[in-house]
Amino acid sequence: MTDLIAMGREARAAADVLAVTSAEKKNEALAAISRALLDHRQEILEANRLDAEEAERNGMRPAMLDRLKLDDKRLASIAAAVMKVAGLDDPVGDVMDEWDMYNGLHVRKVRVPMGVVGIIYESRPNVTVDAAVLCLKSGNAAFLRGGRETIRSNMALERVMRQALASAGLPEACVTLLHDTDHAVAREMMGMRDYIDVLIPRGSARLIRTVLENAKVPVIETGVGNCHVFVDKTADLQRAAEIILNAKAQRVSVCNAAETLLVHEDVADQFLPMAKKLLDTKNVELRGDARTRAVLGDCVKEATEEDYYTEYLDYILAVKVVANVEEAVEHIRKYSTHHSEAILTNDRANADYFTSHIDSAALYVNASTRFTDGEEFGFGAEIGISTQKLHARGPMALRELCSYKYIVEGDGQIRQ
């Protein structure tokens, strides 16, 4: 039986060490991890092959299977991303603000690690490395629980990273992975308030809801991405068609992929066939309202209310024709998960209306939603995309994995 309390104690002790570890020492450990991932590529890829074969036998959808698979190119990219994190400024110890009080006390607001960061996630073994190295660089111990479908891959990655940590003189428990994927163990992890400081779920809407409903550890909500793209009447239509193809189909199994296309009624007759022609190259199924079906015909399935609420993570796109930017905003406000939305327009007033009236973590003007990503934003990697408002929002990277404390210096002051 998994002894979570013992694992929690070890993670807490490792976090205490990391909190006072120098940036140079942490970067040395990150470099060791990056090298180890490449040195042990055969071991990692073989474990991943077994995971992928089992997932395929169990009927996993191709789009989700793609999230699970590693190859030489992806593993090299993961190792390179580790070195990008190593090259970033260390946030720990940053003085966020400082001032002198009326009584001569000097106050500094200083960035500090969270402590032990728990991450519960699914399907993507790259998250195991991203989460571990972001936590390490920000002075936190990572306490990880991946999905059953990638357990061999995750265990291989954990083993390699822990060996690298030991070689760099840091505790192996800086990275801890639960090997038992039973749901009961995950629920026990959600209650470990004495050992885990914050819990971050990363995965399906069902997973995130389960964590929110059951966790006693404070939770940062991430990731469900019912993302929208609105094509305004002034948009460059050819460019808009290329953007929606990218936003929907460049990689469908990720949370920043577009799930709904909204089109201004004045350009629907011209734009919808252009968009469909490109989307057909990726065999994207369209589910549309009456106007969309009138333009494109019976090849478009009738959209239901549920379609507009759905994060498909598949080659499916909901479509609706709207009267104006106001109706587009109203639709997004109703159905959005507050992740990423885009307007394609050459009307500055409409762009400003869109960005000021929609409250999502990332808003785009004339660009694909696929850029909502820690590495794309220059953060090196991300722990997830926060869709809530407390503490962190959008791509969560090094600074978002820190809290702060006040250091107050005086020369004998007492309060009257």
Short mmCIF file of all heavy atoms in Angstrom, two decimals, residues 304-344:
data_model
loop_
_atom_site.label_atom_id
_atom_site.label_comp_id
_atom_site.label_asym_id
_atom_site.label_seq_id
_atom_site.Cartn_x
_atom_site.Cartn_y
_atom_site.Cartn_z
N THR A 304 -26.22 21.45 -31.56
CA THR A 304 -27.11 21.48 -30.41
C THR A 304 -26.58 22.49 -29.39
O THR A 304 -25.44 22.98 -29.50
CB THR A 304 -27.18 20.10 -29.74
OG1 THR A 304 -25.87 19.79 -29.20
CG2 THR A 304 -27.58 19.03 -30.74
N GLU A 305 -27.37 22.78 -28.38
CA GLU A 305 -26.92 23.65 -27.31
C GLU A 305 -25.66 23.08 -26.66
O GLU A 305 -24.72 23.82 -26.34
CB GLU A 305 -28.04 23.81 -26.28
CG GLU A 305 -27.70 24.67 -25.07
CD GLU A 305 -27.83 26.16 -25.33
OE1 GLU A 305 -28.06 26.55 -26.49
OE2 GLU A 305 -27.68 26.93 -24.37
N GLU A 306 -25.62 21.78 -26.50
CA GLU A 306 -24.47 21.13 -25.86
C GLU A 306 -23.20 21.31 -26.68
O GLU A 306 -22.10 21.43 -26.12
CB GLU A 306 -24.77 19.64 -25.66
CG GLU A 306 -23.70 18.88 -24.91
CD GLU A 306 -23.49 19.40 -23.49
OE1 GLU A 306 -24.45 19.96 -22.90
OE2 GLU A 306 -22.37 19.24 -22.97
N ASP A 307 -23.34 21.34 -28.01
CA ASP A 307 -22.15 21.52 -28.86
C ASP A 307 -21.42 22.81 -28.53
O ASP A 307 -20.18 22.85 -28.52
CB ASP A 307 -22.54 21.51 -30.34
CG ASP A 307 -22.81 20.12 -30.87
OD1 ASP A 307 -22.03 19.21 -30.55
OD2 ASP A 307 -23.81 19.93 -31.58
N TYR A 308 -22.17 23.86 -28.26
CA TYR A 308 -21.52 25.15 -27.99
C TYR A 308 -20.87 25.19 -26.60
O TYR A 308 -20.04 26.05 -26.33
CB TYR A 308 -22.52 26.28 -28.14
CG TYR A 308 -22.98 26.47 -29.57
CD1 TYR A 308 -24.33 26.34 -29.92
CD2 TYR A 308 -22.07 26.74 -30.59
CE1 TYR A 308 -24.75 26.50 -31.23
CE2 TYR A 308 -22.49 26.89 -31.91
CZ TYR A 308 -23.83 26.76 -32.22
OH TYR A 308 -24.24 26.91 -33.52
N TYR A 309 -21.22 24.26 -25.73
CA TYR A 309 -20.59 24.16 -24.42
C TYR A 309 -19.37 23.22 -24.41
O TYR A 309 -18.64 23.18 -23.43
CB TYR A 309 -21.59 23.62 -23.39
CG TYR A 309 -22.53 24.64 -22.82
CD1 TYR A 309 -23.90 24.56 -23.10
CD2 TYR A 309 -22.09 25.67 -21.99
CE1 TYR A 309 -24.79 25.49 -22.56
CE2 TYR A 309 -22.97 26.60 -21.46
CZ TYR A 309 -24.32 26.50 -21.75
OH TYR A 309 -25.20 27.41 -21.22
N THR A 310 -19.15 22.47 -25.50
CA THR A 310 -18.24 21.34 -25.47
C THR A 310 -16.81 21.70 -25.84
O THR A 310 -16.56 22.39 -26.83
CB THR A 310 -18.75 20.24 -26.42
OG1 THR A 310 -20.04 19.81 -25.99
CG2 THR A 310 -17.80 19.04 -26.43
N GLU A 311 -15.88 21.21 -25.03
CA GLU A 311 -14.46 21.20 -25.40
C GLU A 311 -14.21 19.85 -26.07
O GLU A 311 -14.07 18.82 -25.41
CB GLU A 311 -13.57 21.35 -24.16
CG GLU A 311 -12.08 21.36 -24.50
CD GLU A 311 -11.18 21.25 -23.28
OE1 GLU A 311 -11.59 20.61 -22.29
OE2 GLU A 311 -10.06 21.78 -23.32
N TYR A 312 -14.15 19.83 -27.40
CA TYR A 312 -14.11 18.57 -28.13
C TYR A 312 -12.77 17.85 -28.00
O TYR A 312 -12.70 16.63 -27.90
CB TYR A 312 -14.38 18.81 -29.62
CG TYR A 312 -15.76 19.32 -29.92
CD1 TYR A 312 -15.96 20.63 -30.31
CD2 TYR A 312 -16.88 18.49 -29.82
CE1 TYR A 312 -17.22 21.11 -30.59
CE2 TYR A 312 -18.14 18.94 -30.10
CZ TYR A 312 -18.31 20.26 -30.49
OH TYR A 312 -19.57 20.74 -30.76
N LEU A 313 -11.66 18.61 -28.09
CA LEU A 313 -10.33 17.99 -28.16
C LEU A 313 -10.29 16.95 -29.28
O LEU A 313 -9.71 15.88 -29.14
CB LEU A 313 -9.94 17.37 -26.81
CG LEU A 313 -9.93 18.32 -25.61
CD1 LEU A 313 -9.64 17.56 -24.33
CD2 LEU A 313 -8.93 19.45 -25.81
N ASP A 314 -10.91 17.30 -30.40
CA ASP A 314 -11.05 16.38 -31.52
C ASP A 314 -11.28 17.22 -32.78
O ASP A 314 -11.42 18.44 -32.72
CB ASP A 314 -12.22 15.43 -31.27
CG ASP A 314 -12.09 14.13 -32.04
OD1 ASP A 314 -11.23 14.05 -32.95
OD2 ASP A 314 -12.84 13.19 -31.75
N TYR A 315 -11.34 16.54 -33.91
CA TYR A 315 -11.54 17.23 -35.19
C TYR A 315 -13.01 17.57 -35.40
O TYR A 315 -13.65 17.13 -36.37
CB TYR A 315 -11.00 16.37 -36.33
CG TYR A 315 -9.49 16.26 -36.32
CD1 TYR A 315 -8.85 15.21 -35.68
CD2 TYR A 315 -8.71 17.23 -36.94
CE1 TYR A 315 -7.46 15.13 -35.66
CE2 TYR A 315 -7.32 17.16 -36.93
CZ TYR A 315 -6.72 16.11 -36.29
OH TYR A 315 -5.33 16.03 -36.26
N ILE A 316 -13.54 18.35 -34.51
CA ILE A 316 -14.93 18.80 -34.54
C ILE A 316 -14.95 20.28 -34.21
O ILE A 316 -14.26 20.71 -33.28
CB ILE A 316 -15.81 18.03 -33.54
CG1 ILE A 316 -15.75 16.52 -33.79
CG2 ILE A 316 -17.26 18.52 -33.59
CD1 ILE A 316 -16.40 15.69 -32.69
N LEU A 317 -15.74 21.06 -34.94
CA LEU A 317 -15.82 22.50 -34.72
C LEU A 317 -17.27 22.95 -34.76
O LEU A 317 -17.98 22.66 -35.72
CB LEU A 317 -15.02 23.24 -35.80
CG LEU A 317 -14.96 24.76 -35.70
CD1 LEU A 317 -14.18 25.20 -34.46
CD2 LEU A 317 -14.33 25.36 -36.96
N ALA A 318 -17.72 23.62 -33.71
CA ALA A 318 -19.06 24.21 -33.70
C ALA A 318 -18.99 25.57 -34.41
O ALA A 318 -18.01 26.29 -34.30
CB ALA A 318 -19.55 24.39 -32.27
N VAL A 319 -20.05 25.89 -35.15
CA VAL A 319 -20.06 27.12 -35.94
C VAL A 319 -21.39 27.84 -35.74
O VAL A 319 -22.45 27.21 -35.65
CB VAL A 319 -19.87 26.82 -37.45
CG1 VAL A 319 -19.73 28.12 -38.25
CG2 VAL A 319 -18.67 25.91 -37.70
N LYS A 320 -21.33 29.17 -35.66
CA LYS A 320 -22.54 29.97 -35.56
C LYS A 320 -22.33 31.30 -36.28
O LYS A 320 -21.27 31.91 -36.17
CB LYS A 320 -22.90 30.23 -34.10
CG LYS A 320 -24.22 30.97 -33.92
CD LYS A 320 -24.57 31.17 -32.45
CE LYS A 320 -25.90 31.90 -32.30
NZ LYS A 320 -26.26 32.10 -30.88
N VAL A 321 -23.35 31.74 -36.99
CA VAL A 321 -23.35 33.05 -37.63
C VAL A 321 -24.02 34.04 -36.69
O VAL A 321 -25.10 33.76 -36.14
CB VAL A 321 -24.08 33.01 -38.98
CG1 VAL A 321 -24.15 34.41 -39.61
CG2 VAL A 321 -23.38 32.03 -39.93
N VAL A 322 -23.37 35.18 -36.48
CA VAL A 322 -23.87 36.20 -35.55
C VAL A 322 -24.04 37.53 -36.27
O VAL A 322 -23.43 37.77 -37.31
CB VAL A 322 -22.93 36.36 -34.33
CG1 VAL A 322 -22.88 35.08 -33.52
CG2 VAL A 322 -21.53 36.77 -34.78
N ALA A 323 -24.84 38.40 -35.67
CA ALA A 323 -25.18 39.67 -36.33
C ALA A 323 -24.08 40.71 -36.21
O ALA A 323 -23.92 41.56 -37.11
CB ALA A 323 -26.47 40.23 -35.73
N ASN A 324 -23.30 40.65 -35.13
CA ASN A 324 -22.32 41.71 -34.89
C ASN A 324 -21.39 41.29 -33.76
O ASN A 324 -21.53 40.19 -33.18
CB ASN A 324 -23.02 43.03 -34.55
CG ASN A 324 -24.12 42.85 -33.51
OD1 ASN A 324 -23.94 42.12 -32.53
ND2 ASN A 324 -25.28 43.46 -33.74
N VAL A 325 -20.46 42.17 -33.42
CA VAL A 325 -19.50 41.86 -32.36
C VAL A 325 -20.20 41.72 -31.01
O VAL A 325 -19.80 40.91 -30.17
CB VAL A 325 -18.37 42.91 -32.29
CG1 VAL A 325 -18.90 44.26 -31.85
CG2 VAL A 325 -17.24 42.45 -31.36
N GLU A 326 -21.26 42.47 -30.81
CA GLU A 326 -22.00 42.38 -29.54
C GLU A 326 -22.60 40.99 -29.35
O GLU A 326 -22.54 40.42 -28.25
CB GLU A 326 -23.09 43.44 -29.49
CG GLU A 326 -22.59 44.87 -29.34
CD GLU A 326 -22.19 45.50 -30.66
OE1 GLU A 326 -22.37 44.86 -31.72
OE2 GLU A 326 -21.67 46.64 -30.64
N GLU A 327 -23.17 40.43 -30.42
CA GLU A 327 -23.74 39.09 -30.31
C GLU A 327 -22.64 38.05 -30.13
O GLU A 327 -22.81 37.06 -29.39
CB GLU A 327 -24.58 38.74 -31.54
CG GLU A 327 -25.31 37.41 -31.38
CD GLU A 327 -26.17 37.04 -32.58
OE1 GLU A 327 -26.47 37.93 -33.41
OE2 GLU A 327 -26.55 35.85 -32.68
N ALA A 328 -21.49 38.26 -30.78
CA ALA A 328 -20.36 37.34 -30.59
C ALA A 328 -19.92 37.34 -29.14
O ALA A 328 -19.69 36.29 -28.54
CB ALA A 328 -19.21 37.74 -31.51
N VAL A 329 -19.80 38.53 -28.56
CA VAL A 329 -19.39 38.64 -27.16
C VAL A 329 -20.42 37.98 -26.25
O VAL A 329 -20.06 37.27 -25.30
CB VAL A 329 -19.19 40.12 -26.79
CG1 VAL A 329 -19.11 40.30 -25.27
CG2 VAL A 329 -17.94 40.67 -27.46
N GLU A 330 -21.70 38.20 -26.53
CA GLU A 330 -22.76 37.59 -25.71
C GLU A 330 -22.66 36.07 -25.75
O GLU A 330 -22.81 35.39 -24.73
CB GLU A 330 -24.12 38.06 -26.22
CG GLU A 330 -25.29 37.53 -25.42
CD GLU A 330 -26.63 38.00 -25.97
OE1 GLU A 330 -26.65 38.86 -26.87
OE2 GLU A 330 -27.67 37.50 -25.50
N HIS A 331 -22.42 35.51 -26.94
CA HIS A 331 -22.28 34.07 -27.08
C HIS A 331 -21.08 33.56 -26.27
O HIS A 331 -21.19 32.57 -25.52
CB HIS A 331 -22.10 33.70 -28.55
CG HIS A 331 -21.93 32.22 -28.79
ND1 HIS A 331 -22.96 31.41 -29.19
CD2 HIS A 331 -20.84 31.41 -28.66
CE1 HIS A 331 -22.51 30.16 -29.30
NE2 HIS A 331 -21.23 30.14 -28.99
N ILE A 332 -19.95 34.23 -26.40
CA ILE A 332 -18.74 33.80 -25.69
C ILE A 332 -18.93 33.88 -24.18
O ILE A 332 -18.53 32.98 -23.44
CB ILE A 332 -17.53 34.63 -26.15
CG1 ILE A 332 -17.22 34.31 -27.63
CG2 ILE A 332 -16.31 34.36 -25.28
CD1 ILE A 332 -16.22 35.24 -28.27
N ARG A 333 -19.55 34.96 -23.72
CA ARG A 333 -19.80 35.08 -22.28
C ARG A 333 -20.64 33.91 -21.75
O ARG A 333 -20.44 33.45 -20.63
CB ARG A 333 -20.52 36.39 -21.99
CG ARG A 333 -19.63 37.62 -21.98
CD ARG A 333 -20.47 38.85 -21.77
NE ARG A 333 -19.69 40.01 -21.37
CZ ARG A 333 -20.19 41.20 -21.18
NH1 ARG A 333 -21.50 41.42 -21.34
NH2 ARG A 333 -19.42 42.21 -20.82
N LYS A 334 -21.55 33.42 -22.56
CA LYS A 334 -22.44 32.34 -22.12
C LYS A 334 -21.72 31.00 -22.10
O LYS A 334 -21.88 30.21 -21.15
CB LYS A 334 -23.66 32.26 -23.03
CG LYS A 334 -24.62 31.13 -22.66
CD LYS A 334 -25.87 31.13 -23.54
CE LYS A 334 -26.82 30.00 -23.15
NZ LYS A 334 -28.04 30.00 -23.99
N TYR A 335 -20.91 30.71 -23.12
CA TYR A 335 -20.39 29.36 -23.29
C TYR A 335 -18.91 29.20 -22.93
O TYR A 335 -18.43 28.08 -22.77
CB TYR A 335 -20.58 28.91 -24.74
CG TYR A 335 -22.03 28.82 -25.17
CD1 TYR A 335 -22.61 29.84 -25.92
CD2 TYR A 335 -22.82 27.74 -24.80
CE1 TYR A 335 -23.95 29.76 -26.31
CE2 TYR A 335 -24.15 27.65 -25.19
CZ TYR A 335 -24.71 28.67 -25.95
OH TYR A 335 -26.03 28.60 -26.32
N SER A 336 -18.17 30.27 -22.79
CA SER A 336 -16.73 30.20 -22.60
C SER A 336 -16.35 29.60 -21.25
O SER A 336 -17.05 29.76 -20.26
CB SER A 336 -16.12 31.59 -22.73
OG SER A 336 -14.75 31.58 -22.40
N THR A 337 -15.18 28.98 -21.24
CA THR A 337 -14.56 28.54 -19.98
C THR A 337 -13.48 29.53 -19.54
O THR A 337 -12.68 29.22 -18.66
CB THR A 337 -13.93 27.14 -20.15
OG1 THR A 337 -13.02 27.17 -21.25
CG2 THR A 337 -15.00 26.08 -20.39
N HIS A 338 -13.43 30.68 -20.19
CA HIS A 338 -12.53 31.78 -19.81
C HIS A 338 -11.06 31.43 -20.02
O HIS A 338 -10.21 31.85 -19.24
CB HIS A 338 -12.79 32.23 -18.37
CG HIS A 338 -14.22 32.52 -18.09
ND1 HIS A 338 -14.88 33.60 -18.64
CD2 HIS A 338 -15.15 31.85 -17.36
CE1 HIS A 338 -16.14 33.60 -18.25
NE2 HIS A 338 -16.33 32.54 -17.48
N HIS A 339 -10.80 30.70 -21.08
CA HIS A 339 -9.43 30.32 -21.42
C HIS A 339 -8.86 31.29 -22.45
O HIS A 339 -8.12 32.22 -22.10
CB HIS A 339 -9.42 28.88 -21.94
CG HIS A 339 -8.07 28.26 -22.09
ND1 HIS A 339 -7.11 28.73 -22.96
CD2 HIS A 339 -7.51 27.18 -21.47
CE1 HIS A 339 -6.04 27.98 -22.88
NE2 HIS A 339 -6.24 27.03 -21.98
N SER A 340 -9.19 31.11 -23.73
CA SER A 340 -8.64 31.93 -24.81
C SER A 340 -9.70 32.20 -25.87
O SER A 340 -10.42 31.27 -26.27
CB SER A 340 -7.44 31.24 -25.47
OG SER A 340 -6.44 30.99 -24.53
N GLU A 341 -9.79 33.46 -26.32
CA GLU A 341 -10.75 33.85 -27.36
C GLU A 341 -10.03 34.78 -28.34
O GLU A 341 -9.12 35.52 -27.95
CB GLU A 341 -11.95 34.59 -26.77
CG GLU A 341 -12.36 34.21 -25.36
CD GLU A 341 -12.91 32.82 -25.18
OE1 GLU A 341 -13.15 32.13 -26.19
OE2 GLU A 341 -13.08 32.39 -24.02
N ALA A 342 -10.47 34.76 -29.60
CA ALA A 342 -9.83 35.59 -30.62
C ALA A 342 -10.87 36.32 -31.45
O ALA A 342 -11.95 35.79 -31.75
CB ALA A 342 -8.95 34.74 -31.53
N ILE A 343 -10.54 37.55 -31.85
CA ILE A 343 -11.31 38.29 -32.83
C ILE A 343 -10.41 38.56 -34.02
O ILE A 343 -9.25 38.96 -33.87
CB ILE A 343 -11.89 39.61 -32.26
CG1 ILE A 343 -12.70 40.35 -33.35
CG2 ILE A 343 -10.80 40.51 -31.69
CD1 ILE A 343 -13.45 41.56 -32.83
N LEU A 344 -10.92 38.32 -35.22
CA LEU A 344 -10.20 38.60 -36.46
C LEU A 344 -10.92 39.76 -37.12
O LEU A 344 -12.08 39.63 -37.55
CB LEU A 344 -10.18 37.36 -37.35
CG LEU A 344 -9.78 36.05 -36.64
CD1 LEU A 344 -9.74 34.89 -37.64
CD2 LEU A 344 -8.44 36.19 -35.94
#
